[in-house]
């Protein structure tokens, strides 16, 4: 508590950080990392409506976020671990923006989290109950809710995961489902789903839950979603699946560092071939980037060090609903993803198609239009494998590498 002319009040975010010995420079560095996450999306962020917060412009800067944090108090957080593997919390603890001490002790009042809290048994239960009784907390949920056999497949302190979730959600200011398990039910919800695993919004209703999907999500995306709510006083704009648009409004394929190789028809066919050594596109060995929405190529993991595709493993589509059922076997390619070859010349495709290529670069709609235009050309013209033309004179393996 701090005293001012208006009497005693709760310290703000920045006051708590200063008291904990966090320098203003380090604080601004953290705010800068959040601004970078917000900038990953193509949507314009709205203005905050939190009490006493200064409006944030569309292009949010580190200073904008810092000013907003200066006017909000340290929030109480309940962080549940339901039917899951702890991978999402592990991702948070390895976030590059702050250390675990900053996150747990300074930025948030994490009153309950089974994985990192010191309290156990009755003391832990009391911390949960006291926070719920106070209300206005942020509820973060890792893990699916088990409903089969009366919920006995996942129980905490003698209560089913569904009972714990519903109790913890009472009076919450915001609910975040973090990770594929809490958003969609995860791997355990894959057929035949013996535990009856479902996502958080199935239990609480989709309108009241912000979904941060991924297995696991990037730490900065998790923390940025919490920061957005704190600085804006409302949830960020979301897509049709309840995911924040600033992190899930574009396909991995559209921002992938290997995308030029896809357009050039240069594909890895086995994990030890020349294409793999040269960093070519992983589409032929199962990359689900064309069907997956996430900021993985932009934000990456471990202080922007790398991400699965950069390290040589195809995207498995873990931010998408029912990804385990839809995308397995993971190393089998998606059918017929449209594209165009950057190695095609004006003589081959015509000046009109080149113009369309430039206008539609990076957009599947544009690429599809180009392909259709190419396929409508006279049959005696050269077929282009890079456009997916069925008449292309290639071997069976070569034909399968092209985007059609």
């Amino acid at each position: 508590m701090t005293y001012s002319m208006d009497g005693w009040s709760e310290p703000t975010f920045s006051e708590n950080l200063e008291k904990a010995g966090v320098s203003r420079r380090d604080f601004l560095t953290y705010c800068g990392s959040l601004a970078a996450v917000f900038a990953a999306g193509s949507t314009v962020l709205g203005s905050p409506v939190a009490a006493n917060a200064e409006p944030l412009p569309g292009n949010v800067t580190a200073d904008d976020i810092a000013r907003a944090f200066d006017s909000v108090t340290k929030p109480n957080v309940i962080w549940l671990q339901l039917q899951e593997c702890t991978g999402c919390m592990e991702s948070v603890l390895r976030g590059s923006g702050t250390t675990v001490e900053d996150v747990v002790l300074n930025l948030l009042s994490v009153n309950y989290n089974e994985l990192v809290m010191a309290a156990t048994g009755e003391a832990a239960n009391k911390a949960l109950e006291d926070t719920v009784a106070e209300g206005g907390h942020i509820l973060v949920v890792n893990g699916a809710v088990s409903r089969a056999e009366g919920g006995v497949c996942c129980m905490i302190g003698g209560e089913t995961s569904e009972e714990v979730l519903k109790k913890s959600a009472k009076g919450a200011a915001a609910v975040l489902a973090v990770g594929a398990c809490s958003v969609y039910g995860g791997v355990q919800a894959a057929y035949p789903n013996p535990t009856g695993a479902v996502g958080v919004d199935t239990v609480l209703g989709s309108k009241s839950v912000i979904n941060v999907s991924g297995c696991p999500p990037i730490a900065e995306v998790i923390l940025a979603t919490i920061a957005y709510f704190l600085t804006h006083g409302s949830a960020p704009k979301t897509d049709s699946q309840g995911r924040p648009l600033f992190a899930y409004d574009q396909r991995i394929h559209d921002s992938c560092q290997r995308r030029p190789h896809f357009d050039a028809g240069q594909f890895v066919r086995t994990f030890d071939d020349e294409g793999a050594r040269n960093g070519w596109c992983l589409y032929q060995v199962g990359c689900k980037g064309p069907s997956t929405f996430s900021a993985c190529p932009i934000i990456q993991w471990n202080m922007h060090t790398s991400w699965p595709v950069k390290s040589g493993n195809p995207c498995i589509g873990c931010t998408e609903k029912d990804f385990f059922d839809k995308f397995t076997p993971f190393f089998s390619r998606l059918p017929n993803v449209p594209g165009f070859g950057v190695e095609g010349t004006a003589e081959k495709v015509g000046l009109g198609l080149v113009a369309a290529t430039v206008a539609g670069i990076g957009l599947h709609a544009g690429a599809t239009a180009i392909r259709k235009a190419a396929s409508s050309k006279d049959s005696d013209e050269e077929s282009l494998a890079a456009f997916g033309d069925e008449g292309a004179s290639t071997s069976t393996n070569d034909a399968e590498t092209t985007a059609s």
Side-chain angles (χ1 to χ4, degrees):
M1 300 287 286
T2 58
Y3 185 78
S4 66
M5 295 296 293
D6 297 324
W8 292 97
S9 61
E10 287 289 334
T12 65
F13 238 51
S14 56
E15 288 171 344
N16 271 309
L17 291 172
E18 183 179 359
K19 184 178 180 181
V22 178
S23 69
R24 187 69 177 177
R25 180 176 181 177
D26 289 343
F27 175 54
L28 289 175
T29 298
Y30 173 66
C31 292
S33 70
L34 291 180
V37 176
F38 292 147
S42 60
T43 56
V44 177
L45 302 179
S47 298
V49 293
N52 303 318
E54 294 184 29
L56 297 182
N59 297 320
V60 182
T61 67
D63 287 337
D64 297 327
I65 295 173
R67 283 195 298 271
F69 272 139
D70 283 338
S71 62
V72 297
T73 56
K74 191 173 181 179
N76 290 323
V77 176
I78 294 174
W79 202 303
L80 298 181
Q81 311 282 142
L82 303 181
Q83 193 176 16
E84 47 85 49
C85 68
T86 75
C88 295
M89 192 64 190
E90 291 286 347
S91 179
V92 172
L93 300 185
R94 286 158 176 75
S96 63
T98 62
T99 65
V100 60
E101 292 83 8
D102 288 336
V103 173
V104 176
L105 301 178
N106 300 327
L107 298 182
L108 306 169
S109 291
V110 183
N111 297 344
Y112 181 89
N113 181 280
E114 293 176 332
L115 191 63
V116 299
M117 69 191 302
T120 61
E122 292 182 0
N125 290 340
K126 187 175 188 304
L128 174 60
E129 293 165 0
D130 288 349
T131 305
V132 171
E134 184 176 342
H137 56 281
I138 295 175
L139 173 61
V140 181
V141 185
N142 295 154
V145 181
S146 172
R147 284 182 155 178
E149 305 296 332
V152 298
C153 299
C154 180
M155 300 190 69
I156 303 169
E159 296 180 302
T160 67
S161 56
E162 184 167 2
E163 290 171 336
V164 173
L165 173 62
K166 289 180 176 179
K167 176 175 67 177
S168 301
K170 290 180 180 179
V175 179
L176 276 68
V178 173
C181 295
S182 63
V183 175
Y184 306 122
V187 173
Q188 55 268 36
Y191 180 83
N193 193 2
T195 66
V198 298
V200 171
D201 61 7
T202 300
V203 177
L204 300 182
S206 59
K207 292 184 178 180
S208 60
V209 180
I210 306 169
N211 287 326
V212 185
S213 64
C215 190
I218 303 172
E220 287 81 357
V221 173
I222 301 171
L223 296 175
T225 305
I226 296 174
Y228 189 102
F229 177 81
L230 293 175
T231 56
H232 287 62
S234 62
K237 294 180 180 179
T238 59
D239 65 8
S240 61
Q241 297 185 40
R243 302 176 298 188
L245 281 174
F246 67 76
Y248 298 95
D249 74 333
Q250 56 189 296
R251 289 180 181 86
I252 282 178
H253 186 59
D254 296 334
S255 300
C256 180
Q257 295 91 341
R258 297 177 186 245
R259 174 64 189 265
H261 295 294
F262 174 90
D263 294 337
Q266 297 172 330
F267 299 99
V268 174
R269 300 183 186 178
T270 62
F271 288 105
D272 59 352
D273 67 7
E274 181 182 1
R277 292 189 290 272
N278 291 331
W280 288 1
C281 178
L282 298 168
Y283 168 68
Q284 277 294 315
V285 287
C287 185
K288 306 305 186 292
S291 295
T292 303
F293 288 80
S294 181
C296 299
I298 303 170
I299 302 173
Q300 304 186 29
W301 270 266
N302 300 325
M303 300 181 69
H304 200 74
T305 299
S306 188
W307 63 293
V309 171
K310 183 178 179 181
S311 66
N313 193 79
C315 167
I316 63 173
C318 70
T319 62
E320 299 305 312
K321 185 176 183 180
D322 302 328
F323 78 96
F324 198 85
D325 285 331
K326 288 180 179 177
F327 293 150
T328 50
F330 288 133
F331 299 132
S332 295
R333 76 170 179 87
L334 290 168
N336 303 329
V337 173
F340 49 85
V342 294
E343 293 175 344
T345 64
E347 289 77 17
K348 289 182 178 179
V349 300
L351 294 177
L353 291 180
V354 172
T357 298
V358 173
I361 190 167
L363 301 177
H364 282 278
T368 302
I370 296 168
R371 176 189 175 279
K372 289 181 178 179
S375 64
S376 67
K377 293 175 67 65
D378 294 337
S379 59
D380 60 347
E381 292 194 37
E382 180 180 358
S383 298
L384 298 180
F387 281 80
D389 289 354
E390 295 180 358
S393 57
T394 60
S395 67
T396 301
N397 288 338
D398 287 342
E400 288 181 354
T401 67
T402 61
S404 60

